[in-house]
Amino acid sequence: MTITEDRGTEASAPPAPFYDEDHEAYRASVREFLRREVVPHYDRWEEERLIDRAAWRAAGEAGMVGLAIPEEYGGAGMTDRRYRMVFSEEIARANTTSFGVGLGLQDDIITPYFLHLANEEQKQRFLPGLAAAELIGAIAMTEPGTGSDLQGIRTSARRDGDDWVLNGQKTFISSGIQADFAIVVARTDPEAGSHGFSLFIVETGMPGFERGRKLDKVGIAGQDTAELFFRDVRVPAANLIGEEGGGMAYLMQNLPLERLGIAMASQASCQAALEWTLEYVYQRTAFGKPIGDFQNTRFELASIETEVDVSRAYLEQAILKFNAGTLTTVEASKAKWFISELQQRVVYRCQQLFGGYGFMLEYPIGRAYRDARIQTIYGGTTEIMKEIIGRDQAARYKQR
């Protein structure tokens, strides 16, 4: 049997590569920045559970944050998410996950609220500081006892003259210790259901705004996480983001980008773990030959590489759809749950091939194993992602 060319059909052009020269030039900048400003200090940050503010400012000076912020506010004006994917890949390669999570919070979660919802005064007040990484922000959604159930939020805000008076508690707040401000989700109308929530910018120094413990996490230790408390905090009406009552809709609009960012980080972690393991198994010997020459090792790594390549294909399409403004919530949810769950399997299986050395934190696979666990939890658990997809399926097929 031979395969012949169909002469009657003009051959289609090969697909364009995912990255171009500009992306690779940016990669070189990110790699050098991490080598110079992050890697030498990273172990200390992990021990102290806090990243130096100087490193944030260095990231701002080097153009590592604020990519999507328009130039008029001090940013790069680059909305192409492939640059953020390059950043994720280099973070994974350098095994500096805590630093990547911190900067990802700024670019994927905090900044979009100001770009899409803030008025001009708010943009002028916050975007230049975010672009320069002189301001660190947090998003305060989760509360004790609510988890993924945002409708159960109890933090409240009531109008009092030109202010809102805020009361409540938040937990698991990334960057909560260092944040100069937090975007706080609060209930403003108990009778309005999903339309009864609003978003407020609560700034450091406002009386009644207090930080609790620096939480001790299983992984990504260097990225500070905290409890936040609000006791009769008077928030100026000028610090309301968007419209009163629009908070829940705004959260839903921004969550797909957060979930895409998590999927990107998970994919980058899978690729890094695979590369570390391939290098290791052909250096480590057992029974007189490299362990990579044993059939079980080859089969395992062949399976892993195939799974990583397949998930990469879906993720690249999701990123390009986001760039085109067509990525749906369901598509982002699929990417988030599938690739974050794949990360758990890949890192676990790769760690197994390292043997006892894989349990040592001096080896990158040990840290990757520890840091991977949160990926299926934050940004919406795997179960929540499947519920979103399942509801979409029901809506499509119940109409038939």
Side-chain angles (χ1 to χ4, degrees), residues 8 31 199 241 290 322:
R31 187 172 295 182
L199 305 183
I241 296 185
F322 179 85

Side-chain angles (χ1 to χ4, degrees), residues 206-259:
M206 288 183 172
F209 174 28
E210 300 175 2
R211 302 165 209 269
R213 297 178 297 143
K214 185 195 300 182
L215 300 176
D216 192 7
K217 308 189 297 295
V218 171
I220 54 173
Q223 200 281 314
D224 61 292
T225 304
E227 300 170 314
L228 302 180
F229 300 93
F230 311 94
R231 298 184 176 91
D232 291 327
V233 182
R234 300 193 73 87
V235 182
N239 280 28
L240 172 72
I241 296 185
E243 299 294 328
E244 179 184 344
M248 198 59 64
Y250 299 148
L251 293 176
M252 296 304 105
Q253 291 168 15
N254 281 280
L255 281 172
L257 176 56
E258 177 184 359
R259 289 162 181 166

Side-chain angles (χ1 to χ4, degrees), residues 138-149:
I139 179 77
M141 289 188 283
T142 306
E143 297 184 1
T146 62
S148 297
D149 180 18

Side-chain angles (χ1 to χ4, degrees), residues 291-369:
I291 61 175
D293 286 340
F294 290 101
Q295 186 182 65
N296 178 72
T297 303
R298 287 186 169 180
F299 279 15
E300 190 71 8
L301 289 171
S303 297
I304 291 171
E305 184 168 282
T306 301
E307 293 177 70
V308 172
D309 285 351
V310 170
S311 66
R312 174 80 188 210
Y314 184 87
L315 179 63
E316 288 186 359
Q317 290 303 307
I319 292 170
L320 294 177
K321 281 190 173 185
F322 179 85
N323 284 350
T326 60
L327 182 70
T328 67
T329 297
V330 170
E331 289 167 334
S333 299
K334 289 177 179 178
K336 195 275 179 184
W337 89 257
F338 185 83
I339 304 177
S340 65
E341 290 286 352
L342 175 65
Q343 181 184 5
Q344 313 303 307
R345 300 195 302 274
V346 166
V347 172
Y348 177 88
R349 290 151 71 190
C350 286
Q351 186 188 39
Q352 184 73 15
L353 292 174
F354 275 79
Y357 291 106
F359 202 61
M360 301 295 110
L361 290 178
E362 63 190 87
Y363 278 75
I365 195 67
R367 283 186 173 179
Y369 176 80

Side-chain angles (χ1 to χ4, degrees), residues 19 23-24 26-31 33-34 38 55-56 59-60 62-67 80-108 261 264-265 268-269 312:
Y19 294 128
H23 298 111
E24 296 304 334
Y26 180 69
R27 182 188 304 281
S29 297
V30 174
R31 187 172 295 182
F33 171 80
L34 294 176
V38 177
W56 286 85
M64 299 294 110
V65 291
L67 297 184
D80 181 354
R81 296 299 297 177
R82 288 175 292 181
Y83 287 101
R84 288 285 300 130
M85 186 64 198
V86 167
F87 186 82
S88 294
E89 289 170 342
E90 292 306 309
I91 285 288
R93 175 181 173 274
N95 210 17
T96 53
T97 306
S98 293
F99 187 73
V101 169
L103 267 63
L105 172 68
Q106 298 298 103
D107 273 7
D108 298 344
M264 290 160 59
S269 177
R312 174 80 188 210

